Amino acid sequence: MKKLDSYPIDGKFGKYGGRFVPEVLMAAIGELEEAYAKVKQDPEFNKELKYYLSEYAGRPTPLYYAENLTKKIGGAKIYLKREDLAHGGAHKINNTLGQALLAKKMGKKRVIAETGAGQHGVATAIACAALGLKAEVYMGSEDMRRQRLNVFRMKLLGAEVHPVDSGSKTLKDSINEAFRDWVTNIESTYYLIGSVVGPHPYPMLVRDFQSVIGNELKEQFRQKEKRFPDALVACVGGGSNAIGTFYPFEDHPEVQLYGVEAAGEGIESNKHAAALGAGSEGVFHGMLTYVLQDTEGQIQTTHSISAGLDYPGVGPEHSFLKTLQRAKYFSATDTETVEAFCALSKEEGIVPALESSHAIAFARKLARKMKREETIVVTLSGRGDKDVEVVADFLGVKI
Amino acid sequence: MSDITKVFQKLKSKGEGALVGYVTGGDPKPEFTTRIAEALVKGGVDILELGIPFSDPIADGPTIQSASVHALEAGTTPQMVLGLAGEVKNKHGVPVVILTYFNPVFRMGVERFFRLAKSFGVDGVVVPDLPVEEAEAYCEAAKSYGVDTIFLATPSTSNERLCKILGCTSGFLYVVSHFGVTGAREALEESTVQLIQRFVPDTSGRIPLAVGFGVSKPEHAKSIIEAGADGVIVGSTFVNIVRKHEGDVEKMLEELGALARELKEAIKSVGKTE
């Protein structure tokens, strides 16, 4: 078997991935693949990206030893990779700066994006404002209601926000709508997808841009502990912060990789978003991957307290890692997630995004089972200011 | 020779363009579909295209999205649509084409899908989100059951790529008239005529070429056939009629038949007058 970090091969992670898109997009996707292959080798492009990531987005983000949380649990040492401190408040900026720079090199003036929680929409709006591109963001009307603050933020940042009223009015439908826009405006428009999903080369290029997370933490951890961490934990919706964390460690089997999906009201309730945990293989949004679907192949609507994980599919590289058992996937319920949200806020003074709180919830359980000299790094993919209202509502608190 | 090929040949010899009519199977309810099909066929539709409703139709505009929602809410399944296709085929003898996104086929199993399609008499299949690069097993299964594989070519398809697509295509080539999703349009773009003229040298004498997406009026159909296409595919306008008269079936069937007649009339004599 080839080294894991050499995938995708011919656009596929094992059998997963590929390009299941309308013919009209094939030329544009080919053009994107070529353009990306070129910039990947280009020292100028990489220098420019590095400049924006450090000077503008505030990288590297700290690797923080969560001593209070660790002591409270009394198990493995827990470190937090603080993506919540990146500009915009989430890891999303790593990808949007990379892709917006790529769009600029390709001569595209208009950028479209989909968003669930609004974090990718905000990060797209930020990157486009910085680089002088026009951003238009598709967002499900249900998500717009849940994340009003982010809608206004995007508008402040100069982006246009298009409400999506079709289907479940959430992330999957906003991706459908972004695809429809793209097939219509293919010559002028760059589709800046927000996760490691979609047709090849998106899962690969988004992973590459997000790998800054894992690469940084590898070096930071080595300086602090003089070795590799025993376990990495990250939440998985589409799975970009998880892949960004895992990828540099895929060929180091001594490092355990754990992805945490949204179990919503519980897997047995059928109101969840755990594609890897409870889904089956299907073809959706341009890729062969695990997906939540019925027996006829209709894609199911999902539920999670966090809009950012409310997605019925998952990046094809995760399907691959699951099949190989290189990574293990668990899930956290809404209730466990809100508990973790509150615990981290209280114990460490860090309010995590609800998405990231899934990873915290699992890490709390995992740490308990591990030895004190062992270590866990949790990727704290975003900050939770946007979620305060949702959490208050969940707890029945009036604010 | 497949039934689809025979129909195109017969029409060509008479100087007629072929009218391919699309509706979503099971919209608004499965029991309507055979009556809708009958109205279309009696009106003049030469080949009937039935859609399997899908939850996430990314190549479709609002009209067909809404038809899919109605059909799914009415409990329509892929097997039901294949069965309905079989009924239409038996009753009217017209070739029947199934349009489906790939996931329902993948879920059923590609081999099983074609086995079932063949057993109902389906003549061809179109999958808008399956490019030729991903279609190897699909084409093999279709071939072994003798079902035509209709692939799409678009304004962004180079002639080099077109040859690759033609290598996998049987029945007819489905040409997408413009950049965008399905949906009725007021006017036909000049670029559509140029597109047909760009593709015809590669298809002529090899495989029929039919044009769809946005074709809604008799004058569009006429210009398309005049530009050298062998057929037109009309969908969203028919689906709009279904939606508009959901509550009055007789009126729905009457209008569907009338539009099919007008469209067919417009492309009947085009070849002869040249």
Side-chain angles (χ1 to χ4, degrees):
Chain A
M1 174 135 192
K2 298 218 180 218
K3 285 181 74 178
L4 293 179
D5 66 7
S6 61
Y7 287 85
I9 294 166
D10 292 333
K12 301 220 164 152
F13 300 90
K15 67 172 164 178
Y16 303 103
R19 280 182 178 166
F20 297 85
V21 292
E23 168 61 24
V24 67
L25 291 179
M26 289 303 282
I29 286 173
E31 185 196 349
L32 174 64
E33 188 179 18
E34 268 174 44
Y36 178 63
K38 208 183 276 174
V39 301
K40 201 176 172 178
Q41 312 296 333
D42 177 10
E44 271 307 301
F45 177 88
N46 287 303
K47 203 174 131 194
E48 209 176 340
L49 179 57
K50 209 170 168 193
Y51 168 82
Y52 278 103
L53 286 175
S54 65
E55 303 291 310
Y56 183 71
R59 301 206 72 89
T61 59
L63 179 69
Y64 178 69
Y65 169 42
E67 198 174 352
N68 301 341
L69 184 68
T70 301
K71 287 196 170 141
K72 182 116 191 197
I73 294 167
K77 269 174 102 171
I78 300 173
Y79 282 88
L80 303 173
K81 178 60 175 163
R82 299 286 311 273
E83 292 302 296
D84 60 315
L85 293 176
H87 180 41
H91 72 292
K92 295 288 182 188
I93 192 83
N94 306 330
N95 171 42
T96 59
L97 279 173
Q99 285 202 65
L101 261 181
L102 174 58
K104 214 173 162 180
K105 299 277 177 223
M106 291 174 74
K108 307 281 182 185
K109 303 262 184 290
R110 176 177 179 261
V111 168
I112 54 168
E114 81 293 339
T115 198
Q119 292 305 96
H120 175 57
V122 166
T124 300
I126 289 172
C128 287
L131 296 170
L133 296 160
K134 180 172 167 36
E136 293 180 35
V137 180
Y138 287 94
M139 187 170 189
S141 52
E142 171 63 17
D143 287 341
M144 285 177 80
R145 189 188 59 76
R146 288 196 281 190
Q147 302 287 346
R148 286 174 298 173
L149 225 59
N150 269 343
V151 175
F152 187 61
R153 268 172 98 193
M154 284 186 269
K155 289 178 182 166
L156 281 175
L157 293 160
E160 216 178 304
V161 182
H162 301 296
V164 176
D165 275 318
S166 57
S168 57
K169 305 176 173 63
T170 60
L171 180 56
K172 91 175 165 77
D173 309 284
S174 61
I175 294 181
N176 292 344
E177 216 48 46
F179 269 114
R180 291 181 187 121
D181 180 312
W182 198 23
V183 300
T184 310
N185 303 295
I186 203 153
E187 278 165 0
S188 65
T189 299
Y190 182 94
Y191 179 21
L192 203 164
I193 208 161
S195 191
V196 285
V197 298
H200 177 71
Y202 281 114
M204 171 182 78
L205 70 85
V206 176
R207 173 199 70 195
D208 290 354
F209 290 134
Q210 289 296 0
S211 293
V212 68
I213 303 172
N215 285 323
E216 273 178 17
L217 89 78
K218 202 183 217 178
E219 182 53 30
Q220 291 166 322
F221 197 87
R222 199 183 55 78
Q223 282 180 12
K224 289 182 204 291
E225 298 275 351
K226 315 280 178 259
R227 58 192 181 99
F228 280 170
D230 296 294
L232 301 175
V233 180
C235 65
V236 177
S240 72
N241 88 83
I243 282 292
T245 304
F246 296 170
Y247 182 63
F249 295 92
E250 282 178 6
D251 289 302
H252 299 283
E254 67 275 27
V255 181
Q256 304 293 315
L257 310 177
Y258 296 102
V260 188
E261 295 187 297
E265 295 177 14
I267 300 292
E268 63 294 333
S269 74
N270 248 348
K271 289 181 179 165
H272 61 82
L276 291 161
S280 50
E281 289 173 359
V283 173
F284 180 54
H285 285 158
M287 54 184 170
L288 171 52
T289 191
Y290 274 83
V291 61
L292 292 167
Q293 58 185 335
D294 68 13
T295 50
E296 315 294 343
Q298 307 296 347
I299 307 304
Q300 286 175 322
T301 52
T302 50
H303 167 83
S304 168
I305 191 169
S306 76
L309 302 185
D310 212 345
Y311 181 64
V314 66
E317 191 162 358
H318 285 294
S319 295
F320 183 50
L321 294 176
K322 172 192 158 83
T323 307
L324 296 172
Q325 297 186 308
R326 174 64 191 97
K328 294 194 172 65
Y329 295 88
F330 294 86
S331 57
T333 63
D334 289 350
T335 306
E336 292 168 325
T337 297
V338 170
E339 275 169 24
F341 177 97
C342 296
L344 195 71
S345 301
K346 208 171 200 171
E347 284 150 24
E348 296 290 353
I350 297 169
V351 181
L354 277 172
E355 289 77 12
S356 326
S357 300
H358 286 74
I360 300 289
F362 176 76
R364 291 169 85 203
K365 288 193 211 167
L366 181 67
R368 227 166 265 139
K369 288 187 246 162
M370 288 168 66
K371 298 189 194 97
R372 280 169 198 256
E373 59 275 20
E374 290 181 310
T375 54
I376 300 173
V377 178
V378 183
T379 297
L380 198 69
S381 58
R383 68 173 183 229
D385 309 50
K386 68 183 176 62
D387 297 315
V388 170
E389 245 186 292
V390 174
V391 170
D393 193 44
F394 186 86
L395 296 172
V397 178
K398 282 221 159 58
I399 49 173
Chain B
M1 192 188 293
S2 79
D3 284 4
I4 295 174
T5 315
K6 278 184 211 155
V7 163
F8 273 102
Q9 279 196 356
K10 196 178 106 196
L11 293 170
K12 199 172 180 74
S13 70
K14 291 199 285 182
E16 285 185 23
L19 177 61
V20 183
Y22 169 91
V23 283
T24 301
D27 171 40
K29 290 195 174 89
E31 55 268 32
F32 282 49
T33 301
T34 47
R35 295 182 70 190
I36 288 169
E38 178 164 30
L40 292 175
V41 172
K42 286 195 170 156
V45 161
D46 300 299
I47 296 172
L48 186 79
E49 192 183 341
L50 267 190
I52 291 178
F54 182 53
S55 53
D56 295 83
I58 59 166
D60 286 300
T63 302
I64 296 179
Q65 285 176 46
S66 154
S68 303
V69 170
H70 280 83
L72 289 173
E73 280 174 357
T76 311
T77 66
Q79 286 88 338
M80 277 162 85
V81 177
L82 293 175
L84 291 166
E87 281 183 45
V88 174
K89 171 95 182 174
N90 283 340
K91 194 161 177 202
H92 305 289
V94 292
V96 183
V97 170
I98 292 290
L99 183 137
T100 176
Y101 285 84
F102 189 53
N103 198 47
V105 178
F106 179 83
R107 184 74 167 146
M108 196 185 288
V110 171
E111 206 271 344
R112 190 170 155 236
F113 173 81
F114 279 107
R115 179 159 27 98
L116 213 59
K118 185 67 189 177
S119 74
F120 284 115
V122 167
D123 296 286
V125 180
V126 188
V127 183
D129 61 345
L130 186 70
V132 289
E133 285 80 357
E134 303 286 356
E136 203 179 314
Y138 166 89
C139 288
E140 259 175 46
K143 207 170 177 182
S144 73
Y145 286 102
V147 176
D148 282 334
T149 49
I150 297 152
F151 281 90
L152 297 96
T154 74
S156 63
T157 306
S158 65
N159 281 66
E160 189 190 353
R161 208 177 142 73
L162 178 66
C163 289
K164 198 165 158 186
I165 291 169
L166 288 174
C168 306
T169 305
S170 54
F172 63 89
L173 179 73
Y174 190 135
V175 173
V176 175
S177 69
H178 59 84
F179 287 108
V181 292
T182 59
R185 291 188 150 206
E186 277 305 305
L188 189 74
E189 285 172 38
E190 179 54 28
S191 60
T192 301
V193 171
Q194 289 161 2
L195 181 68
I196 297 166
Q197 288 163 348
R198 174 158 75 85
F199 286 165
V200 159
D202 285 318
T203 58
S204 183
R206 198 168 163 190
I207 191 160
L209 174 163
V211 180
F213 280 47
V215 184
S216 63
K217 297 183 170 179
E219 59 266 32
H220 304 162
K222 186 164 188 270
S223 309
I224 285 168
I225 301 298
E226 277 173 347
D230 304 289
V232 292
I233 306 155
V234 178
S236 293
T237 315
F238 288 134
V239 176
N240 276 332
I241 295 175
V242 172
R243 185 83 319 100
K244 193 170 145 202
H245 298 297
E246 229 171 311
D248 184 349
V249 188
E250 294 311 319
K251 182 101 182 131
M252 177 203 291
L253 299 176
E254 190 188 314
E255 275 197 31
L256 287 169
L259 178 65
R261 239 182 322 278
E262 274 180 64
L263 288 161
K264 184 65 205 188
E265 209 48 52
I267 56 175
K268 234 177 190 166
S269 51
V270 180
K272 274 184 185 164
T273 54
E274 263 179 10

